[in-house]
């Protein structure tokens, strides 16, 4: 339980950091970064085999954030893990900064520039296939948005992963059910999403994307089936952690006002207080 409490506290701290980054920069993708924070916290602080002092280590696990626009949580985590100085977070989205609004592989810990949706899974397929061909044991993790599932390249990557039996590939969908123009089911209906992925030859598990204990249990035990890539559909809440932002589509890229920022930080501080 001590480890789970640590992960829960860390997720709240990361939410505070990313909100501060967005507030100070006056730009960012707030809702999606808040919804993916628990997923990334579990990956970086529990699951993945990485070394911040040696970010190009051959045996490292790879992470590709296909949902590149929700990068703020990732920047906050990489800084906290020591891939670059935490002070650099203050430069987010400023002129000349490495910490731009999408993953940038000039920053240690970033494998690929991403942001054009639909690219992350095909890239991850290539990485996982390379590991198989080279006899390497590392795993490849990729995070996609649910609105991103409308991209055709996602499904090309899905077919290739099954064809090559890439059981070292674990894809995660941040299923918060909202995209920039509205509900995913109104814009481009996805359901039955689990059945679609199963029909493409993937092993599919659905989880509560904010239940840290469940995320650890599921992702720690992948692959579920030898010879099959794993899809984790993480049901999440856009804007998670800030009561007045949760499930509000406008918070996709809303920058908080001073009053909203203060209220949000107060809520998050109170969440930390109970996690002892």
């Amino acid at each position: 339980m001590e480890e789970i409490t640590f992960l829960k506290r860390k997720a709240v701290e990361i939410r505070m950091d990313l909100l501060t980054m967005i507030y100070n920069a006056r730009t960012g993708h707030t809702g999606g970064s808040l919804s993916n924070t628990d997923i990334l916290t579990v990956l970086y602080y529990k699951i993945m085999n990485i070394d911040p002092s040696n970010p190009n280590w051959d045996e490292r696990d790879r992470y590709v954030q296909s949902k590149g626009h929700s990068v703020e949580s990732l920047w906050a985590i990489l800084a906290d893990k020591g891939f670059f100085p935490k002070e650099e977070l203050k430069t987010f989205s400023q002129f000349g900064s490495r910490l731009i609004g999408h993953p940038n592989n000039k920053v240690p810990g970033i494998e690929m520039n991403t942001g054009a949706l639909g690219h992350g899974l095909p890239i991850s397929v290539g990485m996982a296939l390379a590991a198989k061909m080279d006899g390497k044991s590392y795993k490849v993790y990729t995070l996609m948005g649910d609105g991103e599932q409308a991209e055709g390249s996602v499904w090309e990557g899905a077919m290739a992963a099954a064809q090559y039996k890439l059981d070292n590939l674990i894809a995660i969908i941040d299923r918060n059910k909202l995209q920039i123009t509205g509900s995913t089911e109104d814009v481009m209906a996805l359901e039955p999403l689990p059945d679609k992925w199963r029909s493409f030859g993937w092993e599919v598990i659905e989880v509560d994307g904010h239940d840290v204990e469940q995320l650890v249990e599921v992702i720690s035990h992948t692959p579920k089936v030898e010879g099959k890539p794993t899809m984790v559909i993480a049901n999440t809440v856009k804007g998670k952690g800030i009561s007045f932002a949760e499930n509000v589509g406008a918070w996709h890229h809303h920058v908080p006002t001073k009053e909203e920022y203060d209220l949000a930080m107060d809520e998050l501080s109170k969440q930390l207080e109970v996690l002892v």
Side-chain angles (χ1 to χ4, degrees):
M1 282 303 296
E2 186 175 327
E3 181 180 60
I4 297 301
T5 300
F6 166 79
L7 291 170
K8 289 179 178 179
R9 285 186 60 86
K10 185 59 67 176
V12 176
E13 292 168 0
I14 295 302
R15 285 187 170 95
M16 296 175 84
D17 286 344
L18 76 86
L19 195 66
T20 299
M21 290 164 56
I22 291 170
Y23 176 73
N24 289 335
R26 310 309 298 160
T27 187
H29 286 82
T30 313
S33 287
L34 290 167
S35 71
N36 73 30
T37 295
D38 297 302
I39 298 165
L40 294 190
T41 299
V42 167
L43 285 176
Y44 274 90
Y45 294 91
K46 172 61 180 176
I47 303 294
M48 291 199 301
N49 190 21
I50 53 175
D51 181 1
S53 68
N54 185 14
N56 295 319
W57 176 40
D58 282 348
E59 303 301 325
R60 71 190 182 281
D61 288 333
R62 272 68 166 170
Y63 172 73
V64 176
Q65 185 150 316
S66 190
K67 184 185 178 179
H69 56 281
S70 296
V71 72
E72 293 84 1
S73 47
L74 179 58
W75 288 144
I77 286 171
L78 290 178
D80 188 64
K81 292 289 292 182
F83 282 92
F84 58 86
K86 199 164 185 178
E87 187 74 9
E88 194 172 345
L89 293 177
K90 294 178 180 178
T91 73
F92 171 64
S93 281
Q94 303 302 307
F95 179 75
S97 174
R98 300 187 298 176
L99 306 185
I100 57 177
H102 290 83
N104 165 27
N105 66 2
K106 291 183 172 59
V107 181
I110 299 293
E111 301 289 346
M112 291 295 300
N113 299 338
T114 55
L117 296 175
H119 288 185
L121 182 62
I123 290 167
S124 299
V125 167
M127 290 179 173
L129 182 58
K132 292 283 189 183
M133 295 174 71
D134 292 342
K136 299 289 187 179
S137 61
Y138 64 78
K139 293 181 180 179
V140 181
Y141 299 86
T142 186
L143 178 70
M144 294 182 282
D146 47 8
E148 184 177 359
Q149 304 305 295
E151 295 283 354
S153 51
V154 167
W155 300 99
E156 293 177 44
M159 286 191 292
Q163 172 70 24
Y164 293 109
K165 303 185 186 327
L166 299 180
D167 53 10
N168 57 343
L169 174 61
I170 299 94
I172 305 167
I173 296 174
D174 183 6
R175 183 73 171 112
N176 61 36
K177 301 180 177 65
L178 287 171
Q179 58 190 101
I180 191 169
T181 51
S183 160
T184 56
E185 300 314 288
D186 291 336
V187 177
M188 185 66 72
L190 299 178
E191 297 299 342
L193 187 58
D195 291 343
K196 288 175 182 174
W197 280 95
R198 289 187 183 103
S199 74
F200 273 71
W202 288 59
E203 183 66 16
V204 179
I205 310 108
E206 291 188 82
V207 299
D208 178 341
H210 301 303
D211 186 327
V212 167
E213 199 163 6
Q214 192 178 139
L215 286 166
V216 169
E217 173 63 23
V218 166
I219 303 174
S220 293
H221 295 93
T222 54
K224 292 292 183 182
V225 177
E226 186 176 350
K228 292 180 74 171
T230 301
M231 168 55 69
V232 178
I233 299 178
N235 293 301
T236 60
V237 174
K238 197 152 195 167
K240 179 67 175 179
I242 301 172
S243 61
F244 51 89
E246 291 185 356
N247 285 317
V248 179
W251 276 78
H252 180 85
H253 49 38
H254 176 71
V255 175
T257 64
K258 176 66 164 64
E259 181 182 14
E260 289 170 336
Y261 174 75
D262 289 342
L263 285 170
M265 293 298 277
D266 183 59
E267 283 193 15
L268 292 166
S269 294
K270 288 175 179 174
Q271 291 172 32
L272 273 183
E273 289 172 7
V274 301
L275 290 169
V276 293

